[in-house]
Amino acid sequence: MEKRIEPSDSFTLSDRVMIGEAAGMSIDELLAVIAGSDDAGTVKRLLGSCDGNIASLTGLGGDDVAKRGRLGKRQSVAVAAAIELASRMEPSARELPQEIKTNADVIALFEYEMRHKRQEELWVLYLTGGNRLIERRCISIGGASGVTSDIKIVVGRAIELLAAGVIAVHNHPSGDSYPSDEDIELTSRLKQACSLFDIRLLDHIIIGDRDHYSFLQRGCL
């Protein structure tokens, strides 16, 4: 019979990851392993620079991570890459809500991963007539495709999915959630385009650093 390895205080951080104990490890312990160390103190300065909120480090280059944490080049590059990878991970189907009841449900889906993005991203939720979630899709990153192209993509996909309603969500890297003139134009034109196909624009939500702006709540839809 194969001998079962029991957890032990004598195991290094790397050992604990190897035997499947990563889920019980703290953030500083996991970051230390990523940085190639078995000493959680290695990343203490880095975590202190962001008050323990590693999501705020998303988008930083290796040089910035090195300066904040006083880490070596290989360590800082590994940490920066790991944080970026984590920010891109899509929630599994079982983690997504089956029904969108309030804008709080929408915020819960996006705020962690989008609040500290350094590029603007436009996402759309596609819903049934009963507000059940069909799909969650990224439409554009960095605003490169432009308003007209974004609208075509949003509406085209809604038609493909036979969606009855859509909710647009994007972030403001500046941290200020108040809509720009371009945001207002996008919302107006998207609403008009959706209505041509009997699709409702249920809301457009902008996520900032500490708050969000809902066009629906503000009476702008």
Side-chain angles (χ1 to χ4, degrees):
M1 178 183 292
E2 184 179 355
K3 183 179 180 181
R4 184 175 183 272
I5 301 177
E6 297 292 341
S8 169
D9 291 338
S10 65
F11 285 175
T12 66
L13 299 182
S14 299
D15 289 336
R16 292 177 63 189
V17 173
M18 183 66 71
I19 64 174
E21 285 189 3
M25 295 169 65
S26 63
I27 291 177
D28 55 341
E29 289 174 334
L30 291 171
L31 278 180
V33 173
I34 290 170
S37 172
D38 279 313
D39 178 9
T42 301
V43 294
K44 182 178 180 180
R45 183 181 178 87
L46 179 62
L47 284 174
S49 74
C50 64
D51 294 324
N53 180 16
I54 61 172
S56 66
L57 302 178
T58 302
L60 290 184
D63 286 341
D64 291 325
V65 172
K67 291 175 183 176
R68 290 192 180 205
R70 291 185 180 175
L71 300 173
K73 180 180 179 180
R74 289 195 176 187
Q75 290 178 317
S76 56
V77 166
V79 170
I83 292 173
E84 179 60 29
L85 179 61
S87 74
R88 298 185 187 186
M89 293 181 69
E90 186 75 10
S92 67
R94 71 174 183 276
E95 293 174 320
L96 291 174
Q98 295 300 305
E99 186 177 352
I100 302 297
K101 298 179 181 178
T102 68
N103 66 354
D105 295 329
V106 180
I107 299 301
L109 274 174
F110 290 98
E111 66 174 346
Y112 180 81
E113 63 185 280
M114 292 184 71
R115 202 172 284 282
H116 301 288
K117 290 284 187 179
R118 297 192 171 239
Q119 277 188 306
E120 192 168 298
E121 297 184 4
L122 173 63
W123 287 72
V124 170
L125 299 179
Y126 294 94
L127 308 171
T128 68
N131 287 350
R132 293 185 67 81
L133 182 61
I134 302 173
E135 184 177 84
R136 173 182 185 265
R137 172 174 288 240
C138 181
I139 301 300
S140 64
I141 298 177
S145 61
V147 171
T148 302
S149 296
D150 288 347
I151 291 173
K152 289 181 179 178
I153 295 171
V154 172
V155 177
R157 185 58 177 164
I159 294 172
E160 291 176 6
L161 295 172
L162 299 178
V166 299
I167 298 175
V169 184
H170 83 275
N171 63 309
H172 276 178
S174 67
D176 183 2
S177 64
Y178 196 79
S180 65
D181 291 341
E182 289 77 12
D183 296 332
I184 295 172
E185 178 191 5
L186 171 62
T187 305
S188 176
R189 293 176 59 183
L190 182 56
K191 180 180 179 180
Q192 293 176 9
C194 285
S195 66
L196 293 175
F197 299 93
D198 199 26
I199 299 167
R200 294 177 60 205
L201 175 61
L202 300 171
D203 202 353
H204 180 187
I205 296 174
I206 302 172
I207 296 177
D209 275 351
R210 293 180 176 83
D211 58 6
H212 67 277
Y213 183 100
S214 164
F215 278 78
L216 178 65
Q217 281 190 332
R218 297 298 183 99
C220 301
L221 275 180

